[in-house]
Amino acid sequence: MTATTPTKDITIVGGGIIGCSIAYFLTRHASYSPSTHRIALLEASSSNAGGRTPDSIQDPSTLVDPATASQRNPAHDGIAGGASGKAGGLLALWAFPQNIVPLSFRLHDELAKEHGGDKRWGYRRCWASQVECKARTPPGFGGKADVDPASAAGGPNIKGLHKDHKKDTKALKKLGAPEDLDWLDTEVSLTGYEGMGTPENTAQVHPELFTRSMAQLAEDRGVKIITGARVTSINKSADGTRVESVTYEKDSAAHTLPTSDCVVAAGPWTPRLLPSVPVTSARAHSIVIKPARPVSAYALFTAIALPAGFASSSKPQVVEPEIYARPDGTAYACGPTDTAVPLPPTNAEVEVDAARCADIAHQVAGISDELGRDAEVVARQACYLPQGGPYIGELGGETRGIVVAAGHTCWGIQNAPATGKLVSEIVLEGAAKSARLGGCDPKRVL
Ligand SMILES: Cc1cc2nc3c(=O)[nH]c(=O)nc-3n(C[C@H](O)[C@H](O)[C@H](O)COP(=O)(O)OP(=O)(O)OC[C@H]3O[C@@H](n4cnc5c(N)ncnc54)[C@H](O)[C@@H]3O)c2cc1C
């Protein structure tokens, strides 16, 4: 700290992976000092139960060694209660946008080395592949009667989360799947296989444990984390040129926090505070499966042909669940997005449609006995995917001191560390230094 270091009151809105990574990197910036910089992170929710069925595993650290995994801090309940706790957790050098991806991929690796991320948040290198399969009706799963067709995720071809991995499926090599991909019923169902990512350029984390860790590490260096605190307004100075404070509701009372720099990282809720930021959202369901033995480290982008009469589907269709083996011995699978239920006020009100989770389970079981017949579904969940960005940077206009970091699409877990680092530079140095903001800069696009 030098005598010229200005005093800053920094308020971060949102305790998802983006807000928590920003909090972490602010406290690691060379000019940060807890004596001159007050940082508060406000998270609207005070529980992670929203968007998860009551019978789901509520704390993923219970699946691994409690001595080394990131532990639940009850004072932080609500952190990672949205997409940041229910995402797959894939990281890839081939993700987008490419102006920040290499920085973020490298930072993930460095964070894991510095803080024991392999044990603390399940960081590991993995393979990624694209597979084309034909499902057979899985034993132990009923036909149509199992699922209410009215709530089936319908449409003849259901697209996944748009990770943009698709190549011409006709170009997929016939078979040729690696031997250790032995949990897919390759002999029965595989019609095409192509490698997409290798451990050189692909990795994964458990997103809830990673986000939890960023929050804890930031708090250990002086960030004040307040959950159950929903920001209702960002207040400007009388002449409108600067942010002055932030108002939030907690326990039915309004509180005002002096704020010189307000970073809005409210994921899909961002436009409710900053209407000029065009982040949109769509709901997505996912499940966590516990097979009888851990399965090898592959992330699979599937195209599964379902015959007519398969589970809830009356017509033949192609579905694209993504399936990620995890180092905690589980596998994660997510389905397509839907717009059946608009974004609720907070994470607590996110509705899980059990039929959509059942669809994903049936589809996975249709190509893998290990993940179907011989496995247990231990979590059924839903969350809202933020779309449209990412937007990272100070908003233009006459008011200084409002920074946005939102709209990270299906690569927000991958791009969180770079976002955190860049926002720390924008707030404490006045400009992004470690990577070009390019098309992420809200001043260029809004
Ligand atoms: C099914 C699925 C799978 C995915 N898989 C991957 C993957 O494999 N790899 C990858 O890189 N990305 C993946 N993603 C994308 C990733 O999950 C998101 O991009 C990322 O989690 C967004 O983080 P966030 O912090 O911006 O938003 P969120 O996680 O939604 O967090 C925003 C937080 O802000 C809080 N908030 C909102 N309004 C207020 C307010 N007014 N006051 C206070 N707090 C507020 C909310 O309660 C919430 O906790 C996936 C997404 C989905 C849906």
Side-chain angles (χ1 to χ4, degrees):
M1 184 192 61
T2 66
T4 54
T5 307
T7 300
K8 278 187 178 284
D9 283 314
I10 304 163
T11 301
I12 301 165
V13 184
I17 195 166
I18 301 299
C20 294
S21 299
I22 292 167
Y24 172 89
F25 278 100
L26 280 167
T27 63
R28 267 57 186 181
H29 191 280
S31 65
Y32 166 71
S33 159
S35 59
T36 51
H37 300 119
R38 181 203 54 79
I39 306 174
L41 184 149
L42 306 179
E43 163 52 46
S45 302
S46 57
S47 155
N48 290 27
R52 235 174 223 157
T53 56
D55 59 346
S56 296
I57 283 200
Q58 304 292 332
D59 178 359
S61 73
T62 56
L63 290 164
V64 280
D65 183 355
T68 49
S70 184
Q71 289 305 295
R72 174 175 163 247
N73 175 349
H76 290 183
D77 280 355
I79 295 292
S84 301
K86 299 180 179 78
L90 192 66
L91 319 175
L93 265 176
W94 38 273
F96 58 81
Q98 271 298 314
N99 52 317
I100 61 168
V101 162
L103 170 67
S104 217
F105 192 79
R106 175 169 61 76
L107 290 173
H108 264 297
D109 198 60
E110 290 173 8
L111 287 168
K113 286 191 176 114
E114 185 178 347
H115 299 292
D118 54 340
K119 300 208 166 53
R120 196 165 175 175
W121 57 75
Y123 177 85
R124 75 171 172 189
R125 298 294 181 128
C126 63
W127 300 86
S129 313
Q130 189 175 348
V131 293
E132 200 181 58
C133 303
K134 240 160 80 181
R136 41 162 185 55
T137 303
F141 284 87
K144 285 184 203 175
D146 237 354
V147 176
D148 172 12
S151 60
N157 289 300
I158 297 171
K159 299 289 177 194
L161 293 181
H162 313 293
K163 278 199 168 80
D164 270 9
H165 57 283
K166 285 287 160 230
K167 299 183 179 157
D168 179 4
T169 48
K170 291 199 189 78
L172 290 181
K173 283 182 211 131
K174 277 248 162 179
L175 302 178
E179 266 178 31
D180 64 343
L181 186 52
D182 52 359
W183 42 276
L184 206 60
D185 302 337
T186 44
E187 286 180 12
V188 188
S189 67
L190 193 71
T191 52
Y193 177 89
E194 181 150 319
M196 287 169 59
T198 68
E200 288 296 302
N201 59 17
T202 312
Q204 65 185 135
V205 295
H206 192 296
E208 186 169 354
L209 298 181
F210 177 84
T211 305
R212 192 188 266 190
S213 304
M214 289 298 105
Q216 190 59 58
L217 290 163
E219 189 179 66
D220 294 346
R221 289 262 179 112
V223 174
K224 184 165 188 194
I225 294 179
I226 310 176
T227 61
R230 191 171 64 85
V231 173
T232 50
S233 67
I234 301 167
N235 311 314
K236 300 172 186 174
S237 57
D239 63 1
T241 60
R242 280 223 62 90
V243 168
E244 206 167 63
S245 66
V246 154
T247 303
Y248 66 93
E249 274 176 12
K250 182 170 167 67
D251 301 328
S252 310
H255 305 260
T256 297
L257 199 58
T259 298
S260 60
D261 297 79
C262 179
V263 183
V264 181
W269 288 273
T270 297
R272 295 196 176 163
L273 285 171
L274 301 176
S276 67
V277 180
V279 170
T280 58
S281 61
R283 188 174 64 162
H285 284 79
S286 55
I287 58 172
V288 180
I289 303 164
K290 184 122 182 71
R293 55 149 197 155
V295 292
S296 52
Y298 282 84
L300 296 184
F301 292 82
T302 71
I304 306 175
L306 305 180
F310 186 97
S312 64
S313 149
S314 55
K315 295 188 201 140
Q317 61 176 329
V318 176
V319 293
E320 300 181 341
E322 294 173 15
I323 310 171
Y324 304 161
R326 281 182 163 166
D328 62 8
T330 65
Y332 167 94
C334 60
T337 57
D338 73 82
T339 49
V341 183
L343 184 69
T346 71
N347 280 323
E349 295 87 21
V350 174
E351 283 176 34
V352 184
D353 180 344
R356 289 179 195 269
C357 294
D359 278 349
I360 302 169
H362 288 160
Q363 292 157 12
V364 173
I367 61 169
S368 168
D369 279 344
E370 285 210 43
L371 299 186
R373 185 194 62 194
D374 306 334
E376 185 195 351
V377 176
V378 294
R380 295 170 183 82
Q381 51 198 23
C383 62
Y384 283 78
L385 175 73
Q387 295 167 310
Y391 297 107
I392 305 167
E394 195 171 10
L395 282 192
E398 61 165 5
T399 311
R400 302 298 313 277
I402 302 179
V403 173
V404 63
H408 282 68
T409 73
C410 58
W411 286 116
I413 309 302
Q414 145 67 36
N415 289 326
T419 304
K421 177 124 183 121
L422 293 168
V423 170
S424 76
E425 294 165 352
I426 291 164
V427 172
L428 297 177
E429 294 180 67
K433 298 284 165 74
S434 299
R436 228 176 15 89
L437 289 179
C440 302
D441 187 348
K443 284 191 184 132
R444 276 177 59 164
V445 288
L446 301 184

